[in-house]
Structure formats: C-alpha cells, structure tokens
C-alpha cells in the first residue's frame, strides 16, 4: 500500500472511531467539548493528508494538509461541500493533529471549509512549537487569528474578507468561474498590500472554458499570474 494511502486509511479509521465516541458523550460532556472547540483547543477535523501543494506560490511543494470543517460562505461551485457542516466532523484535540502533522512534513497547510471560523492561535502556536511552517488557505470571511508564515487569501463575493487580512496576505488567489470574476479580481487587488502575489485560477468544473480567458487576461495584465490545480491533473488529494 502506498504511503499516502496508508496515512489516509489511518486517519479515516481514527475519525470513524472518534465520531462514534463523540456521539455517545452525555450533553454535559458535549458542552465541555464545544467549549474547547470555541477556544481552538479542539477543532472539527474533516481530514488530514500528506500530499503535494497543487496551487499558488508553493505548488509542487510536499505539505501536510489539515482540513478543518465548517464554512458558511456558500460558493455554489464549492468542491468540498461536505466540509460545510462542522457538526459532522469530530472535535479533535490540536495536540493529536500536530503530532500527526509533525511526522510527515515541516510545511503544514491549514484549509477548509473556512478555518478562520475557529480561533487558530492555539493550533498555530502548537505547530510553531514543533518548528513547523504554517500556511493557511482562507476566504478571509472571518477575523484573522493565528501566526502564519504564508497566507493565501481567496476572497469570495458572497462574504467578503474582514479587515487586516488584506495587509497580511502573501498571495491573493481569485477563482474564475465567469467573466465577472475578472472585475471582482481587480476590485480585490486594489485592496491588497503591494507585495502580495496575484493569481487567477480557473474553477475546476469550467476549466476548459475559462482557462483560455485567464491566459489571455494575464498576457494583457501581467501583474496577474495563472494558478492551476495541478494536484487534480496529477490525480492526487
Ligand atoms: S469558501 Fe471555500 S469551503 Fe467555503 S464554500 Fe467557498 S469554496 Fe467552499
């Protein structure tokens, strides 16, 4: 069995066991767990896996992904809709998450869902205590928390980014589903800090239609770069 597949099987088994345990907690114990989730000491963990970052500035880099459940942004083309309901993902102690992560990579990507629905300070502090590099992929729809080495801001029209993340982001990644998204991209680029790298990325389900539009746009507006979901072309997670 391949290394990656083994990790996914182990993680899936763990999540299945934990999900069943959580279901049997009494109401008071569930309240205690929720209090820890609200403090960011536990997080609703959807999945975790070691793979290659496929998108944006760090594409091609091996990284450990932590996918946190919960998102209310509601993109109609979202390819991880099963992440939306946080209640379906087991509250998991961040120490367990970090111990797993540290075994596989020194680059950790926290994604979702929308990870900033939760307080990221405890998780990033624990990752940093292990000298791990912390990356986040976020819509920015919630207040920025945590300590990050790399912030990928992927804003969505439904729920625009909050406050200082425009000053802190290292890359701006706008998903292009239709032509109006180029206008949205320029609006967002006006708000972002000057050092931020600008990416346009085709939405996967319409990639054949919009990729040529993006190529043409980037050639005419070279402050932008093309980002592709190379992990999907490679058929890896
Ligand atoms: S912000 Fe991300 S996870 Fe949330 S609906 Fe949009 S694409 Fe899906």
């Amino acid at each position: 069995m391949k290394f990656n597949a083994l990790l996914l099987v182990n993680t899936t088994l763990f999540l299945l066991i934990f999900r069943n345990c959580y279901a049997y907690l009494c109401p008071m114990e569930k309240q205690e767990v929720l209090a820890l989730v609200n403090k960011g000491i536990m997080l609703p963990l959807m999945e975790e896996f070691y793979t290659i970052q496929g998108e944006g500035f760090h594409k091609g880099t091996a990284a450990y992904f932590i996918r946190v459940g919960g998102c209310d942004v509601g993109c109609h083309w979202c390819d991880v809709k099963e992440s939306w309901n946080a209640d379906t993902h087991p509250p998991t102690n961040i120490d367990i998450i970090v111990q797993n992560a540290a075994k596989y990579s020194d680059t950790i990507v926290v994604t979702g869902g929308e990870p900033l629905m939760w307080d990221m300070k405890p998780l990033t502090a624990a990752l940093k205590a292990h000298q791990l590099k912390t990356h986040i992929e976020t819509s920015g729809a919630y207040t920025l928390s945590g300590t990050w080495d790399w912030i990928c801001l992927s804003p969505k029209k439904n729920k625009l980014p909050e406050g200082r993340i425009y000053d802190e982001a290292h890359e701006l990644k706008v998903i292009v589903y239709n032509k109006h998204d180029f206008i949205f991209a320029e609006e967002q680029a006006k708000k972002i800090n000057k050092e931020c790298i600008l990416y346009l990325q085709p939405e996967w389900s319409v990639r054949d239609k919009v990729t040529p539009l993006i190529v043409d746009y980037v050639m005419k507006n070279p402050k932008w770069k093309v980002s592709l979901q190379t992990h999907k072309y490679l058929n890896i997670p």
Side-chain angles (χ1 to χ4, degrees):
M1 188 180 288
K2 279 183 169 170
F3 180 65
N4 247 1
L6 189 60
L7 171 64
L8 276 172
V9 168
N10 283 340
T11 303
T12 307
L13 275 175
F14 167 77
L15 292 178
L16 279 171
I17 292 165
F18 200 97
R19 226 167 242 138
N20 287 335
C21 292
Y22 182 69
Y24 288 108
L25 293 179
C26 74
M28 191 175 287
E29 288 167 329
K30 280 187 179 168
Q31 283 301 327
E32 286 168 12
V33 167
L34 287 179
L36 292 173
V37 171
N38 287 334
K39 288 179 186 162
I41 306 294
M42 298 181 95
L43 291 168
L45 180 64
M46 178 176 163
E47 58 179 349
E48 49 187 349
F49 48 92
Y50 183 44
T51 187
I52 303 293
Q53 167 61 281
E55 308 176 359
F57 183 78
H58 292 283
K59 68 180 174 302
T61 304
Y64 191 83
F65 278 68
I66 297 169
R67 189 183 301 285
V68 181
C71 184
D72 62 358
V73 176
C75 308
H76 65 89
W77 43 258
C78 178
D79 60 357
V80 279
K81 289 190 170 123
E82 60 278 23
S83 71
W84 291 6
N85 183 357
D87 294 344
T88 60
H89 304 295
T92 306
N93 195 296
I94 57 168
D95 290 338
I96 294 172
I97 297 174
V98 173
Q99 276 168 26
N100 283 341
K103 284 181 208 159
Y104 293 97
S105 183
D106 66 352
T107 301
I108 313 301
V109 181
V110 180
T111 188
E114 175 41 71
L116 291 180
M117 287 180 80
W118 316 103
D119 186 352
M120 287 287 130
K121 281 198 289 297
L123 175 65
T124 53
L127 291 168
K128 283 279 158 206
H130 284 71
Q131 284 82 47
L132 301 174
K133 284 177 260 178
T134 55
H135 295 195
I136 186 170
E137 296 183 343
T138 175
S139 70
Y142 287 83
T143 305
L144 181 63
S145 59
T147 305
W148 301 103
D149 296 304
W150 194 264
I151 298 173
C152 170
L153 173 63
S154 185
K156 306 298 183 313
K157 294 174 194 165
N158 304 4
K159 207 166 163 86
L160 292 171
E162 289 250 322
R164 72 181 172 96
I165 198 161
Y166 286 112
D167 301 326
E168 307 277 327
H170 300 89
E171 68 179 273
L172 174 72
K173 185 174 71 189
V174 177
I175 310 302
V176 178
Y177 183 82
N178 57 34
K179 284 185 182 171
H180 183 266
D181 291 322
F182 292 111
I183 297 169
F184 178 65
E186 293 296 350
E187 288 167 0
Q188 294 299 299
K190 280 185 192 143
K191 297 182 180 182
I192 205 84
N193 69 80
K194 295 274 180 292
E195 281 75 41
C196 190
I197 306 166
L198 308 180
Y199 288 105
L200 296 170
Q201 178 172 295
E203 198 282 313
W204 183 252
S205 68
V206 291
R207 63 191 180 282
D208 291 345
K209 191 176 75 178
V210 298
T211 302
L213 301 180
I214 293 175
V215 168
D216 187 49
Y217 193 88
V218 169
M219 289 172 73
K220 289 179 180 145
N221 303 274
K223 70 180 180 187
W224 293 96
K225 296 176 190 293
V226 180
S227 171
L228 298 175
Q229 291 182 293
T230 54
H231 55 295
K232 293 193 177 180
Y233 290 100
L234 293 170
N235 202 20
I236 56 176

